[in-house]
Amino acid sequence: MRASLTSFVAAALTSSMIASAAPVPQKIGEAMGVANNNLIQIEFNPATVDWNQVNWSSVFAAEEQKQQQQKQQRQTVAAQTSSTPVAAASPSPEAPAQIQEEAPAPQPAITIQAATTPAPEAAPSPEPEPVVSTSEPAPATSAAPESAPEQNTGNSNSGSSGNGQLWGLNYSPYNTDGSCPDVNTVAGQLAKVASVTKNIRLYSTDCSQFENALQAITSNNLGLSIHAGIWISDGQTRMQSDLDQFVSAAKKFGTGLIKGVSVGNEDISKGMSESTLIDYINQVRSRLQAEGLGNIPVYTTEQDAHFTSGMAAVSDLVQINVYSIFDSSYSNIDSSVQSVIQRANNIKNNVAGGKQVRFGETGWSSSGNTGPSPLTLANEIAYAQKIKCAAASAGFDYFYFEAKNANWKQGAVASEQNFGIFDAGFTPKFDFNLLNVC
């Protein structure tokens, strides 16, 4: 802009002489070759002069007065100057270019043009797809969690229960032919049992089952607790034999895994007198106390219909066997479960005398016939699911009857042989994760 203003002044004073390509002088008068005393003393100082502030009207008025006093040779110049209106004068189109080429001053016009009228940007070419989006690595971190649950799927061939734990299971270790299993067989079976419960109930010490169970659990860290049994249905001699084996094993392995011992199972229902049963209970308790094992709870187990307050009085807890598959009517599994809970509550309220009431047995057979209740595997599963939840809600611990099918009970009816959640070969009869319902 400053270069353009200089051209404007030169044109007004010297007509077309400024069209030459002479370098821009420091004093405008020098461009006309005039003596210094006749010059208009306007200095071009682009660094300090603000040309927008110059009073151009007074400048040209003074110049006109001086021109009239000049010699004849200046009259032509004065006449040209007066015939070309200053206000209408415009620089030659080439003048700004010439001055811009020669002027040392920076060219702010270029900067302004760039700022106010930016050159159009080229259309952006499509960006290449980021490598991370076109070739994502396989999500190893998410694959692991997807495969991890396979360990807890409750595959019916593995016996895994996931969180579908039952409070307890009844366990009878006998082989299918009724013979006694060795400790390794017991250990293998209890390893599977441990996948679905943390408590087992035994009925006797015969076949060394109590000692074998203690050894298997201890050696393999199975995390099971034992609720033992003394068999008394065959009289005093058998009772004494079981008691001796119990004391021997308890002293050998300690009492840490032993949570109690039931003296007999449903012996009143089999015809034993209450007084005889109470005598057996007292014998066992006295022996344990004499052997330094008095901390182990002693009690009996009986059907709820035959459990008396006298039996409760000599027992450390009240353990009852309660079934609804023998009921005279059937509507659905829910009603059958509620029937069992109501009967347990009756014992709790009217017989137990404030002592703990626990289910020694409850379950559903998957085959056979006991009356109107349909004995199917589907109903066995449904009963196990619902009794688990109902018992927990009502505050009852329980042993589910039973671990494996009792094919060893040769000659027994089908319903008696098919209560197990495992078959006779200890293969799960259903997916134990189905028990994870409450």
Side-chain angles (χ1 to χ4, degrees), residues 183-255:
V183 66
N184 292 329
T185 299
V186 171
Q189 293 178 355
L190 290 183
K192 294 181 178 181
V193 167
S195 71
V196 73
T197 190
K198 297 304 177 187
N199 296 281
I200 60 170
R201 179 193 170 198
L202 305 179
Y203 291 85
S204 177
T205 62
D206 70 329
C207 287
S208 300
Q209 61 178 283
F210 180 55
E211 181 174 352
N212 286 347
L214 285 169
Q215 182 175 332
I217 295 168
T218 301
S219 299
N220 298 283
N221 193 28
L222 297 181
L224 290 169
S225 295
I226 298 178
H227 302 256
I230 303 293
W231 192 257
I232 62 173
S233 298
D234 295 332
Q236 180 70 30
T237 300
R238 172 66 185 271
M239 187 277 293
Q240 193 63 54
S241 174
D242 270 29
L243 182 54
D244 289 344
Q245 292 183 61
F246 178 89
V247 169
S248 174
K251 288 186 172 182
K252 179 178 180 180
F253 291 96
T255 60

Side-chain angles (χ1 to χ4, degrees), residues 366-383:
S366 62
S367 182
N369 181 17
T370 58
S373 298
L375 305 186
T376 65
L377 181 58
N379 280 347
E380 179 182 1
I381 296 169
Y383 185 85

Side-chain angles (χ1 to χ4, degrees), residues 253-272:
F253 291 96
T255 60
L257 300 179
I258 306 169
K259 304 305 178 183
V261 56
S262 176
V263 181
N265 182 70
E266 297 186 353
D267 286 287
I268 297 296
S269 300
K270 299 172 187 174
M272 184 179 290

Side-chain angles (χ1 to χ4, degrees), residues 205-411:
T205 62
D206 70 329
C207 287
S208 300
Q209 61 178 283
F210 180 55
E211 181 174 352
N212 286 347
L214 285 169
Q215 182 175 332
I217 295 168
T218 301
S219 299
N220 298 283
N221 193 28
L222 297 181
L224 290 169
S225 295
I226 298 178
H227 302 256
I230 303 293
W231 192 257
I232 62 173
S233 298
D234 295 332
Q236 180 70 30
T237 300
R238 172 66 185 271
M239 187 277 293
Q240 193 63 54
S241 174
D242 270 29
L243 182 54
D244 289 344
Q245 292 183 61
F246 178 89
V247 169
S248 174
K251 288 186 172 182
K252 179 178 180 180
F253 291 96
T255 60
L257 300 179
I258 306 169
K259 304 305 178 183
V261 56
S262 176
V263 181
N265 182 70
E266 297 186 353
D267 286 287
I268 297 296
S269 300
K270 299 172 187 174
M272 184 179 290
S273 67
E274 182 176 315
S275 59
T276 301
L277 174 60
I278 292 174
D279 182 53
Y280 282 134
I281 295 171
N282 289 334
Q283 287 186 54
V284 171
R285 178 176 287 109
S286 296
R287 173 74 181 275
L288 296 184
Q289 291 173 345
E291 298 287 353
L293 303 172
N295 61 313
I296 299 174
V298 178
Y299 45 88
T300 192
T301 304
E302 185 54 74
Q303 294 177 16
D304 64 299
H306 296 110
F307 212 106
T308 67
S309 56
M311 295 159 58
V314 296
S315 297
D316 293 325
L317 62 90
V318 175
Q319 185 157 285
I320 55 175
N321 294 346
V322 189
Y323 292 91
S324 55
I325 63 170
F326 302 103
D327 290 354
S328 59
S329 63
Y330 171 83
S331 57
N332 53 56
I333 293 295
D334 286 312
S335 297
S336 296
V337 169
Q338 288 307 311
S339 172
V340 167
I341 297 298
Q342 290 172 5
R343 288 158 60 181
N345 279 325
N346 178 61
I347 296 295
K348 178 181 178 180
N349 296 330
N350 300 305
V351 177
K355 294 182 179 178
Q356 176 189 358
V357 176
R358 183 170 67 202
F359 290 74
E361 293 179 11
T362 191
W364 197 277
S365 181
S366 62
S367 182
N369 181 17
T370 58
S373 298
L375 305 186
T376 65
L377 181 58
N379 280 347
E380 179 182 1
I381 296 169
Y383 185 85
Q385 291 173 326
K386 295 178 183 298
I387 193 62
K388 171 189 174 181
C389 299
S393 178
F396 294 114
D397 293 340
Y398 62 94
F399 291 99
Y400 191 84
F401 190 80
E402 61 184 322
K404 69 172 182 175
N405 281 352
N407 291 18
W408 59 271
K409 296 180 179 178
Q410 298 178 8

